[in-house]
Amino acid sequence: MTTITRNVQATQARLNQACFTAGHNPETVRLLAVSKLHPADAVRQAHAAGLCAFGENYVQEGIDKIAALADLRTALEWHLIGPLQSNKTRAVAEAFDWVHSVDRLKTAQRLSDQRPDGLPPLNVCLQVNISGEESKSGAAPADVPALARAVAALPRLRLRGLMSIPEPEADLEAQQRPHRALRTLFDQLNAQGLALDTLSMGMSADLEAAILEGATLVRIGTAIFGARSSGGA
Ligand SMILES: *Cc1c(COP(=O)(O)O)cnc(C)c1O
């Protein structure tokens, strides 16, 4: 058994245990394997171990990996989870299945305009700066309702939910707080008539806290692929 296979099994066991503790059905939480800074062969191994959804942070690296794994294209789902600049939207609209990091209407409009007709609508989450920290990525919570309504109206996008990357915290309760705030915002949007089904929150270090607060998709890199050699916070 490869290390990646073992890690996938251990991560799935962690996810199942967290769902059990939270009283959630494990089938309601998707595992997104974050493969940034790991080679295409690592994705192949994770796919052989049963995973099919992969997250990339850097547009060009993601596009190169998608091309290197073209033989698996229909079996895999590719998610962009890193920052997206306007000049890269066309490449992303053509190559990816999901984007989690939309935080302004202009980017969403470009993605919708540039999504090829032959592909299904691009799945989108709005990134929210939920703890209001200095990080510049993510829409302010107060701006999210209007942004969500505008993005939901774009023809070639399908607004699926919200994503956040809170500041790292050591203890469970501190980890739960920003996840709970994102969950509350998510519930408010659905109460206002949006039909969101995806709460993208939780990484290797705070998977349990995210699942306790109702994550429907956790983004796990290190616990599956090991430490990254460079960059990619
Ligand atoms: C790198 C990254 C992850 C995965 O982080 P790990 O701690 O390695 O699990 C998840 N989400 C985003 C947005 C990331 O950039």
Side-chain angles (χ1 to χ4, degrees), residues 34 36 57 81-82 163 165 202-205 219-223 228 232-233:
V34 176
K36 65 180 177 204
N57 272 62
I81 61 173
M163 179 272 237
I165 313 172
M203 321 204 304
S204 293
R219 308 179 308 268
I220 308 297
T222 309
R228 291 175 288 271

Side-chain angles (χ1 to χ4, degrees), residues 189-204:
L189 296 175
N190 276 335
Q192 290 168 12
L194 290 164
L196 308 182
D197 64 6
T198 301
L199 202 43
S200 167
M201 58 188 198
M203 321 204 304
S204 293

Side-chain angles (χ1 to χ4, degrees), residues 39-40 56 58-70 78 95-96:
E56 289 286 332
Y58 311 102
V59 172
Q60 193 55 49
E61 181 193 346
I63 285 170
D64 291 347
K65 222 171 283 178
I66 292 168
L69 295 163
W78 288 100
F96 283 84

Side-chain angles (χ1 to χ4, degrees), residues 10-11 13-19 21-22 24 172 175-176 179 201-215 218 220:
T11 302
R14 233 180 113 187
L15 192 154
N16 289 342
Q17 180 61 47
C19 285
T21 305
H24 299 151
L172 185 70
Q175 289 175 353
Q176 279 175 259
H179 294 321
M201 58 188 198
M203 321 204 304
S204 293
D206 62 351
L207 176 163
E208 285 80 6
I211 288 178
L212 277 173
E213 297 301 336
V218 290
I220 308 297

